[in-house]
Amino acid sequence: MEYFEREDLVAFGKGELGEFDKELWDKFMSWYGDVFSEGALTVREKALIALAVAHAVHCPYCIEAYTDATMSAGCSHEEMMEAVHVAAAITGGATLAFGTQMKKLVDQVEF
């Protein structure tokens, strides 16, 4: 059994987790639907953001779902890859930014 199984994404989409607590599941799905509906950002823009975030948080289910969503929204492969590069730049930059904490500690130590 693999950790990531496409059938799990299908089960999620069907709301099978809602069997454990339908009320909370329904609230989440209502909110989730509202978040991804047209607003100040287009559905297409939100799909690209979600694709980038999916890569940043390393969620294979989200990567698959939002790869499909961005393609369905008419995004080009170049736009999708650029979104992934944005995620990589932000996560890489954040990792490096935490290096300032390491540097402060090293600077305090006398050799």
Side-chain angles (χ1 to χ4, degrees):
M1 179 170 139
E2 294 181 33
Y3 182 75
F4 170 69
E5 295 182 8
R6 283 189 168 81
E7 298 82 25
D8 293 341
L9 183 58
V10 172
F12 181 84
K14 289 181 178 178
E16 290 182 13
L17 287 176
E19 294 172 11
F20 290 141
D21 190 326
K22 184 169 176 18
E23 181 182 357
L24 288 178
W25 177 259
D26 289 346
K27 286 178 182 182
F28 172 77
M29 292 308 292
S30 176
W31 171 76
Y32 188 88
D34 289 346
V35 166
F36 282 95
S37 65
E38 196 84 16
L41 297 173
T42 66
V43 169
R44 186 177 185 281
E45 291 167 328
K46 290 178 180 189
L48 281 168
I49 292 167
L51 181 65
V53 171
H55 282 80
V57 300
H58 308 151
C59 176
Y61 300 103
C62 300
I63 290 168
E64 183 164 323
Y66 288 102
T67 296
D68 290 343
T70 52
M71 289 190 305
S72 294
C75 296
S76 70
H77 298 142
E78 292 82 8
E79 291 170 317
M80 294 164 63
M81 195 68 235
E82 191 169 320
V84 172
H85 277 282
V86 169
I90 295 299
T91 56
T95 300
L96 287 172
F98 275 111
T100 59
Q101 182 178 3
M102 177 257 327
K103 184 180 180 312
K104 285 191 298 189
L105 293 170
V106 168
D107 288 348
Q108 292 173 4
V109 175
E110 294 184 315
F111 289 98

